[in-house]
Amino acid sequence: EIRHVRARAVWDSRGRPTVEAEVELADGSVGRAIAPAGASVGSGEALDLRDGGDALGGFGVDRAVGNVKGEIAAALAGHDAADQQAIDKLLTELDGTPQKSRLGGNAMVATSMAVLKAAAASAGLPLYLYLAQGRGMSVPLPQIQIFGGGSHAAGRVDIQDFLVVCANAGSVADAFRKTAEVYRSAGELMAAAGKRHGVADEGGWWPDFDSNEQVLDALMRAIEGAGLMPGDDVFIVLDIAASEFGSKGRYTLGLERRTLDTDGLGELLGRWIERYPIVSIEDPFAEDDEAGFRAFTAAYGHRVQIVGDDLLVTNAERVKAAASKGLATCVLLKPNQAGTVSEAVAALEAAREAGFATIVSARSGESEDTTIAHLATGWNAGQIKVGSMSRGERTAKWNELIRIEEALAGSARFAGWEGLKIERR
Ligand code: PGA
Ligand code: ZN
């Protein structure tokens, strides 16, 4: 039974305020969670409530914090924290808007996750075990960023994420070791070229390049420089985040001073699939480009995972529609896109129903909160995407996965290649 709901403004990894919610139950159990925040935001996402005005660039969350302490705390008092669906329904109805703009998606997701964590604490279980409820679990395959880009690097290159997966690694700890070698090697390569200028928002190296394809070449050299085999030890993953540089079938690659139509962008990505060991491409087209997604999934969906992020915004109805139209093969799950844990679970279940793969994902604005490491494991999602091998808000999640893998030794395996739902290479 929920006794107190508290909230406060804390800081995220971009130096912006965000909402922390804290839920205390009658038995003294406490759950605490911090809302993350995106930069490349899908138009269908739950909306964060920000204060506006001049202070903190308008990013203040005093109103959202006030909503948790006021209306939300009053509504949740006395309710059963173990009935997550009822809690989330109550929150959603209390808000009453299609995109949670009244109370704020930030207020709601922090509260929803804090309730979940309080319930797990009350059950005396780590969150991943509480979520699994005796069903199968696996330690997720991590997609790890090596170079940042797009809106996470001031548009220095157009493509947002250049990542790797060590799909044939023996454990998540082994995947981190190999990826750390690639990350180090990429840093040395940038330093040698006089282009090491620090890191982007998710910890990947700052992308000082003259074309988007140059980043892929650098990534290949970094993998080889680490003594690893591209297409065997290490595979490439891209998040194009195409909504950030295109709409209505026109895509402007600012770095290369050229504009492509849907077919042109599809051909470019198709050439990259032929030339590089790519296993997954996220948001290859803008969220309004269904024709692009459909044709691309038909052409490449059998060999490369086609991931919907801005396209699907962790929404079960959108996932079902995408499945029936053949727009993607994998769903990115970001709890704060949905706004409550239960709605994220509904998107997960819709993905399962459709035979889609799933990736639990952080946002570019993050904190030390490690909830998503537990969600990815307990939900048996198969994959997780959190950013790079640097910056504490990223490594907090990776380090939690190392602890989880150790605790689960013998009782749950590393998802590895099985996390991807494509033919093994
Ligand atoms: P965001 O980026 O958190 O800025 O939306 C993450 C992603 O696009 O996957
Ligand atoms: Zn994305």
Side-chain angles (χ1 to χ4, degrees):
E1 185 182 309
I2 296 174
R3 186 187 285 164
H4 297 295
V5 180
R6 305 185 186 91
R8 59 187 68 90
V10 295
W11 300 99
D12 80 5
S13 56
R14 275 192 278 256
R16 293 175 186 169
T18 186
V19 180
E20 174 170 274
E22 199 170 280
V23 170
E24 187 182 324
L25 308 187
D27 67 3
S29 306
V30 175
R32 187 190 287 147
I34 303 177
S40 61
V41 175
S43 63
E45 295 190 18
L47 296 168
D48 285 345
L49 182 63
R50 300 283 182 180
D51 295 336
D54 294 333
L56 295 166
F59 286 102
V61 292
D62 292 349
R63 287 193 294 152
V65 167
N67 288 343
V68 180
K69 293 205 272 195
E71 273 191 65
I72 291 177
L76 294 192
H79 285 269
D80 180 8
D83 192 348
Q84 186 74 38
Q85 285 214 354
I87 296 285
D88 289 338
K89 186 161 178 284
L90 205 153
L91 284 172
T92 306
E93 287 174 1
L94 185 67
D95 172 73
T97 67
Q99 285 181 279
K100 303 181 169 62
S101 54
R102 196 179 74 79
L103 295 173
N106 43 0
M108 291 176 67
V109 79
T111 306
S112 180
M113 292 196 303
V115 169
L116 175 71
K117 291 165 86 174
S122 181
L125 292 170
L127 181 56
Y128 62 93
L129 278 185
Y130 177 72
L131 288 165
Q133 316 233 327
R135 290 185 301 259
M137 245 185 308
S138 62
V139 180
L141 174 67
Q143 296 195 344
I144 307 178
Q145 193 190 67
I146 305 298
F147 293 103
S151 64
H152 302 164
R156 183 62 187 76
V157 301
D158 302 286
I159 309 299
Q160 182 181 282
D161 292 87
F162 298 84
L163 315 98
V164 297
V165 285
C166 298
N168 292 319
S171 65
V172 83
D174 181 29
F176 291 142
R177 270 191 85 93
K178 291 191 166 91
T179 306
E181 297 284 7
V182 176
Y183 184 70
R184 237 176 71 81
S185 160
E188 281 172 4
L189 197 140
M190 295 307 276
K195 293 183 168 192
R196 185 150 139 185
H197 314 303
V199 301
D201 282 4
E202 295 193 1
W205 298 112
W206 188 263
D208 186 355
F209 294 99
D210 301 321
S211 74
N212 291 285
E213 194 165 312
Q214 266 186 16
V215 195
L216 283 163
D217 289 328
L219 191 47
M220 291 293 283
R221 276 186 289 133
I223 296 167
E224 286 159 358
L228 295 163
M229 183 87 90
D232 182 4
D233 299 310
V234 187
F235 298 85
I236 293 177
V237 167
L238 298 174
D239 181 359
I240 309 299
S243 296
E244 292 294 308
F245 60 86
S247 69
K248 300 195 168 66
R250 290 184 64 76
Y251 296 94
T252 300
L253 298 174
L255 178 60
E256 301 170 17
R257 293 198 172 75
R258 57 182 177 140
T259 297
L260 303 172
D261 61 11
T262 298
D263 288 345
L265 180 57
E267 280 159 25
L268 177 67
L269 298 178
R271 273 203 303 284
W272 287 354
I273 289 172
E274 301 302 336
R275 196 173 304 165
Y276 303 97
I278 293 171
V279 290
S280 181
I281 300 189
E282 181 175 327
D283 285 345
F285 301 93
E287 60 183 37
D288 66 0
D289 196 346
E290 281 201 1
F293 272 98
R294 188 184 296 119
F296 198 70
T297 299
Y300 298 105
H302 59 289
R303 48 193 282 215
V304 173
Q305 174 173 269
I306 314 294
V307 186
D309 172 12
D310 292 346
L311 178 75
L312 303 175
V313 291
T314 316
N315 178 301
E317 295 313 312
R318 288 192 189 222
V319 172
K320 288 174 197 164
S324 71
K325 295 178 194 167
L327 304 186
T329 67
C330 177
V331 184
L332 202 76
L333 297 167
K334 293 167 164 170
N336 84 319
Q337 281 183 328
T340 63
V341 171
S342 301
E343 288 163 280
V345 169
L348 169 80
E349 284 168 355
R352 290 246 155 89
E353 190 68 29
F356 281 14
T358 51
I359 308 167
V360 173
S361 171
R363 301 310 302 252
S364 50
E366 271 292 336
S367 70
E368 68 277 18
D369 188 301
T370 62
T371 309
I372 61 164
H374 291 259
L375 299 182
T377 306
W379 287 348
N380 198 12
Q383 298 170 78
I384 184 168
K385 180 185 181 219
V386 161
S388 193
M389 294 301 296
S390 77
R391 297 186 59 133
E393 77 280 4
R394 313 292 148 189
T395 54
K397 279 76 158 171
W398 300 145
N399 293 343
E400 187 73 351
L401 278 178
I402 290 172
R403 295 181 199 106
I404 292 173
E405 180 167 76
E406 195 181 298
L408 283 175
S411 58
R413 60 194 168 69
F414 173 53
W417 192 279
E418 316 274 293
L420 300 157
K421 288 200 172 10
I422 54 172
E423 212 171 300
R424 186 180 288 273
R425 292 186 209 165

